[in-house]
Amino acid sequence: TCRQQGRPGEAQLVQDAGGHFYSAAENFDLGDAAGRYLCRELLSVAEFQSDRLRIGWQQAKQQTIARGAYPASRVPFGYRRGRGGRLVPDPRTAPYVSELFRRRAQGAPLYDLCRFMESAGIKSANGNTGWSSHSISGICRNRAYLGELHWGAIVRLDTHRALTDGATWQRAQRPPLRGRRRVEGTPPPLLGGLLDRADQLLG
């Protein structure tokens, strides 16, 4: 490029270093006015084509969501792609997603949810037998499980069957603290509140 967004391009850097830039394929030479004019015209055409592709991509995604189809190539865990690209619950894994939300809403740590999925023999979306807290957390934050489609600022509600309800989803975002067990009659530990809070953040 010659110059883009106020920053010197490769051709400009060559000239600033005392070199000379010309293109045999495009038949222009930046050493004269005609060559610089042609370079600017080529850059304008390239920018125009880039804008057309970007707008076309956005319109395609809008049309996809308008008909209720899932816009991404990989569907959320617990779903599969049905007719017309719509999400439909996977008979094997969808019940486990609902159970994850239920347990998380009741305060289950992410570590416990990982062990729950592993003990049930359920593989992750990547086909792994082991589960990470990051994967479980991503499921709990995904609003697709409410039956919604989101793509940037584009939102469509009730496009497919939800795997959890709104109240449970909200509780799963900020699960309640699980109290620590202690012998009855003994005072609570000095840092008990901080430890409980740490459990919530790390869980």
Side-chain angles (χ1 to χ4, degrees):
T1 59
C2 302
R3 181 177 294 272
Q4 192 172 23
Q5 295 181 352
R7 295 176 296 178
E10 295 177 2
Q12 185 66 41
L13 292 174
V14 170
Q15 293 185 102
D16 291 345
H20 189 71
F21 185 92
Y22 66 91
S23 173
E26 286 79 13
N27 192 27
F28 70 82
D29 184 344
L30 294 186
D32 57 44
R36 290 190 292 272
Y37 169 79
L38 180 57
C39 181
R40 288 192 293 270
E41 288 297 310
L42 291 174
L43 288 176
S44 296
V45 172
E47 184 178 8
F48 170 71
Q49 294 291 351
S50 177
D51 287 343
R52 286 186 59 190
L53 290 174
R54 177 178 52 81
I55 294 173
W57 175 261
Q58 291 176 347
Q59 290 176 342
K61 291 299 180 183
Q62 290 174 353
Q63 292 171 1
T64 298
I65 292 179
R67 67 172 187 268
Y70 192 69
S73 58
R74 177 178 293 184
V75 301
F77 177 81
Y79 286 107
R80 61 187 181 186
R81 202 181 299 275
R83 180 177 299 179
R86 289 176 176 267
L87 295 180
V88 295
D90 181 84
R92 172 163 169 74
T93 57
Y96 287 93
V97 172
S98 301
E99 181 64 13
L100 284 177
F101 275 100
R102 188 188 69 81
R103 295 190 180 203
R104 184 60 172 167
Q106 292 178 350
L110 294 176
Y111 178 85
D112 288 355
L113 298 180
C114 292
R115 303 296 80 80
F116 161 68
M117 296 294 280
E118 292 169 356
S119 63
I122 302 299
K123 294 183 179 181
S124 69
N126 295 323
N128 298 325
T129 56
W131 284 78
S132 67
S133 296
H134 177 75
S135 297
I136 299 294
S137 178
I139 289 176
C140 292
R141 293 194 307 267
N142 194 339
R143 297 188 67 90
Y145 297 110
L146 291 171
E148 303 175 2
L149 285 184
H150 292 256
W151 186 269
I154 307 173
V155 179
R156 183 173 176 184
L157 308 179
D158 301 324
T159 59
H160 52 271
R161 179 182 164 188
L163 298 185
T164 190
D165 60 88
T168 302
W169 190 92
Q170 288 292 347
R171 289 196 300 269
Q173 308 313 300
R174 302 186 66 179
L177 291 173
R178 281 188 169 180
R180 293 177 174 273
R181 294 182 180 177
R182 60 186 177 87
V183 178
E184 186 175 358
T186 61
L190 180 62
L191 299 178
L194 293 177
L195 291 175
D196 282 340
R197 179 59 177 164
D199 275 351
Q200 185 187 35
L201 294 175
L202 296 176

